[in-house]
């Protein structure tokens, strides 16, 4: 009797694991997608030579397209438009394009965690008033590595939402850093 009970319990456990494994892959999680999001970013830079310290927060809009090749691997192209920042003495406006690889870890049929990293090609307009009342303005551009982490939830097979954090460390004379937290909605084809 005990052996039968153990055999039935093991069989049910194996069947449950098999069903859970099948459920995790039953939604089609490969294909192309488009999405849009809004978030908050922090823009920080320090120019010791001109005695300028800038640290402000504002919104960011983003749109993206991507391809998910498997449940674990994808690629994404995005446009990011960072709202202008102004603290009476300093002004900044940044926008750019990014290309990133995404590594996903599906935790269930609908929920996954991911990490991404890639290249951000950007342009920034910056102006500042120094303590000596000298106005310094410049337009700068460049390309730098960025990285991020996030979580994604699928409402249906086609509609999904994401919450993510990204870090942009722009290498330039003023070495600005941008931390972005955003919420997006996307449609998987």
């Amino acid at each position: 009797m005990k052996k039968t009970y153990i055999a039935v319990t093991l069989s049910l456990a194996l069947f449950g694991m098999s069903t859970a494994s099948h459920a995790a892959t039953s939604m089609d999680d490969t294909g192309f997608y488009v999405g849009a999001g809004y978030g908050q970013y922090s823009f920080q830079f320090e120019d010791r030579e001109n005695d300028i310290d800038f640290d402000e927060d504002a919104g960011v809009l983003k749109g993206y397209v991507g391809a998910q090749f498997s449940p674990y691997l994808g690629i994404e192209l995005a446009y990011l438009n960072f709202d202008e920042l102004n603290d009476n003495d300093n002004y900044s406006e940044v926008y750019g394009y990014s290309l990133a690889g995404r590594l996903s870890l599906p935790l269930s049929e609908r929920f996954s965690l991911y990490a991404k990293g890639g290249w951000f090609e950007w342009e920034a307009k910056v102006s500042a008033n120094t303590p000596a009342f000298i106005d310094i303005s410049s337009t700068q551009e460049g390309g730098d590595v960025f990285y991020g982490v996030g979580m994604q939830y699928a409402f249906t097979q086609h509609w999904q939402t994401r919450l993510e954090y990204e870090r942009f460390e722009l290498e330039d004379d003023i070495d600005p850093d941008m931390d972005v937290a955003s919420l997006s909605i996307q449609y998987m084809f």
Side-chain angles (χ1 to χ4, degrees):
M1 181 76 173
K2 284 185 180 182
K3 288 183 182 181
T4 305
Y5 178 73
I6 291 172
V8 169
T9 303
L10 283 174
S11 296
L12 288 174
L14 289 174
F15 176 74
M17 288 172 54
S18 170
T19 304
S21 172
H22 177 69
T25 59
S26 67
M27 273 189 131
D28 186 16
D29 46 11
T30 61
F32 295 98
Y33 58 88
V34 297
Y38 182 78
Q40 188 77 13
Y41 80 100
S42 172
F43 184 82
Q44 304 166 0
F45 74 83
E46 186 174 354
D47 184 356
R48 293 178 196 264
E49 184 178 306
N50 293 306
D51 194 26
I52 299 170
D53 187 18
F54 191 74
D55 184 1
E56 289 293 317
D57 297 339
V60 61
L61 288 172
K62 68 186 205 177
Y64 56 90
V65 296
Q68 193 70 29
F69 304 118
S70 74
Y72 309 101
L73 184 62
I75 191 167
E76 188 171 289
L77 175 67
Y79 171 75
L80 294 97
N81 188 343
F82 299 88
D83 288 348
E84 68 180 53
L85 296 170
N86 189 347
D87 74 350
N88 298 327
D89 292 330
N90 305 299
Y91 166 84
S92 170
E93 184 177 2
V94 180
Y95 61 91
Y97 297 91
S98 68
L99 179 63
R102 266 186 45 161
L103 295 173
S104 299
L105 176 63
L107 299 178
S108 71
E109 179 181 340
R110 298 185 181 273
F111 185 73
S112 64
L113 301 176
Y114 63 88
K116 68 187 213 179
W119 190 256
F120 181 57
E121 197 68 28
W122 56 271
E123 183 173 314
K125 297 174 184 171
V126 179
S127 67
N129 290 324
T130 65
F133 301 105
I134 299 172
D135 188 26
I136 300 171
S137 297
S138 69
T139 299
Q140 301 165 350
E141 56 187 40
D144 295 291
V145 173
F146 80 99
Y147 52 90
V149 294
M151 58 182 110
Q152 180 171 303
Y153 180 79
F155 294 111
T156 68
Q157 186 170 348
H158 298 290
W159 289 103
Q160 300 155 353
T161 188
R162 324 189 322 189
L163 178 63
E164 68 184 356
Y165 164 82
E166 295 166 295
R167 173 76 173 197
F168 299 87
E169 295 179 4
L170 310 183
E171 296 297 328
D172 198 26
D173 296 337
I174 56 173
D175 290 328
D177 294 331
M178 294 190 303
D179 296 312
V180 179
S182 62
L183 179 65
S184 303
I185 188 148
Q186 70 185 33
Y187 183 82
M188 177 80 80
F189 294 98

